[in-house]
Amino acid sequence: SIQDGVALLDRNNSILKTNKAFRNFVKKTEEDLLMKKCYNFVHVANSRIAACPFSRMIKTKKRETMEMRVNGNTMKVLVDPILDSVGEIAGAVHLMTDITQQKKSEKIHEVQYNIAHSVATSDSLKDFLECVQKELNTIMDAENFFVGFYNSENNTLASPVYFDEKDRFDEWPAERSLSGLVVRERKSLLLTEDDTKQIEHKENIDLIGTMAKCWLGVPIMNKSEVIGVYVVQSYNDPKAYDEDSKRVLELIAIQLSVYIER
């Protein structure tokens, strides 16, 4: 019933028994796994891998661990030896713990630190925004990224830096754009392509540029005033961003505001 994936192996790496979590991690049934080699499913390999914790455990007769990707998730793999009465390897207990969220959180903290450091060291706004885009790219798809600064006098947005594979805009009207909607509503917008089409109709928005499969815009605030918006968008992946992505961008928006004010 535990959330860790557990498999009992014999000394030849064959699977004797598994729990439900292990089967879910490798996306197989118990019948698929029984008496098959563990490395076929964990490493997706046809032969034993030297770096595998089981291979190292056979030599050391001690617990061995490693971090690896299994079906898109980051796992901590731990292999404990089972010794017979004369101290020889009789088998092993193989455990997998999903540490995807832990590793993601660690990476987000690293990105926040690097951006905060850039607030103090960047010589220009362009350098700073290039740093933000580079750091964001390590935790989400930020290839298409721009910041728009809001001018309340003429109700426009202007971008000093615009990274985009399809479009380039230096200035555009805020009144009937998605980024302008973020400014007006003073809150983040996470949109799929269908969401965008509905908002276009409901809010009388004129789509500026190429429609994205997934669009995420976050307001940049200075105290209670919206001074701009920054946007990431994906033209290919409708699930590029989620609520976690939105929260990360909202945290980074605070650092953007600090830099702009400075």
Side-chain angles (χ1 to χ4, degrees):
S1 65
I2 64 173
Q3 293 183 345
D4 293 336
V6 185
L8 181 64
L9 311 176
D10 69 13
R11 68 183 314 276
N12 297 312
N13 200 250
S14 296
I15 298 171
L16 303 176
K17 194 171 182 63
T18 63
N19 72 340
K20 183 178 179 181
F22 186 94
R23 297 191 291 273
N24 288 341
F25 287 155
V26 298
K27 302 186 186 305
K28 297 293 180 181
T29 66
E30 192 162 23
E31 291 73 21
D32 293 331
L33 298 169
L34 189 62
M35 295 310 298
K36 302 291 175 54
K37 301 299 184 184
C38 182
Y39 51 70
N40 292 156
F41 307 101
V42 176
H43 296 282
V44 195
N46 294 321
S47 60
R48 190 180 294 174
I49 295 172
C52 169
F54 185 92
S55 300
R56 291 186 275 120
M57 181 275 301
I58 289 291
K59 295 179 180 179
T60 65
K61 296 183 180 180
K62 296 179 181 179
R63 173 181 291 182
E64 297 290 343
T65 65
M66 75 178 298
E67 290 182 9
M68 60 178 294
R69 300 284 287 178
V70 178
N71 284 324
N73 294 319
T74 304
M75 298 287 179
K76 181 177 181 180
V77 178
L78 180 151
V79 178
D80 266 327
I82 300 172
L83 304 178
D84 62 18
S85 58
V86 294
E88 295 301 319
I89 300 291
V93 178
H94 183 291
L95 294 103
M96 291 195 296
T97 303
D98 189 343
I99 58 171
T100 306
Q101 284 302 119
Q102 174 191 328
K103 301 302 286 187
K104 185 177 180 180
S105 295
E106 290 173 359
K107 188 62 184 175
I108 288 170
H109 286 310
E110 180 185 340
V111 166
Q112 287 179 277
Y113 173 83
N114 291 340
I115 291 175
H117 180 70
S118 185
V119 168
T121 59
S122 294
D123 293 327
S124 68
L125 180 61
K126 182 175 182 294
D127 288 345
F128 176 66
L129 294 179
E130 286 176 350
C131 169
V132 171
Q133 191 253 356
K134 178 182 175 183
E135 291 295 331
L136 280 178
N137 237 344
T138 66
I139 54 174
M140 67 181 73
D141 180 1
E143 287 298 321
N144 301 298
F145 164 92
F146 68 87
V147 172
F149 291 111
Y150 180 59
N151 184 331
S152 58
E153 291 183 4
N154 57 14
N155 198 23
T156 60
L157 286 153
S159 180
V161 176
Y162 207 106
F163 304 94
D164 197 280
E165 60 191 285
K166 293 185 180 290
D167 301 316
R168 166 76 208 196
F169 299 98
D170 296 319
E171 187 174 272
W172 62 97
E175 184 177 358
R176 299 178 68 184
S177 66
L178 286 176
S179 44
L181 186 60
V182 173
V183 172
R184 290 196 302 279
E185 296 195 349
R186 304 162 63 86
K187 66 179 183 180
S188 304
L189 279 179
L190 173 59
L191 306 172
T192 63
E193 186 175 11
D194 287 341
D195 294 333
T196 301
K197 290 176 181 177
Q198 289 178 20
I199 284 181
E200 275 190 286
H201 177 72
K202 181 180 177 182
E203 302 287 342
N204 196 24
I205 296 292
D206 288 331
L207 182 66
I208 298 175
T210 307
M211 183 176 292
K213 295 289 184 183
C214 195
W215 190 95
L216 175 56
V218 173
I220 304 170
M221 308 286 294
N222 184 1
K223 299 177 182 177
S224 60
E225 181 186 0
V226 180
I227 59 173
V229 57
Y230 78 116
V231 173
V232 289
Q233 55 188 337
S234 173
Y235 294 113
N236 304 309
D237 184 1
K239 297 182 179 179
Y241 316 112
D242 55 19
E243 290 298 318
D244 284 342
S245 308
K246 187 169 76 172
R247 282 190 286 271
V248 170
L249 262 65
E250 286 170 346
L251 287 171
I252 292 171
I254 296 170
Q255 293 170 310
L256 275 167
S257 176
V258 169
Y259 184 86
I260 292 161
E261 186 174 3
R262 186 176 73 86

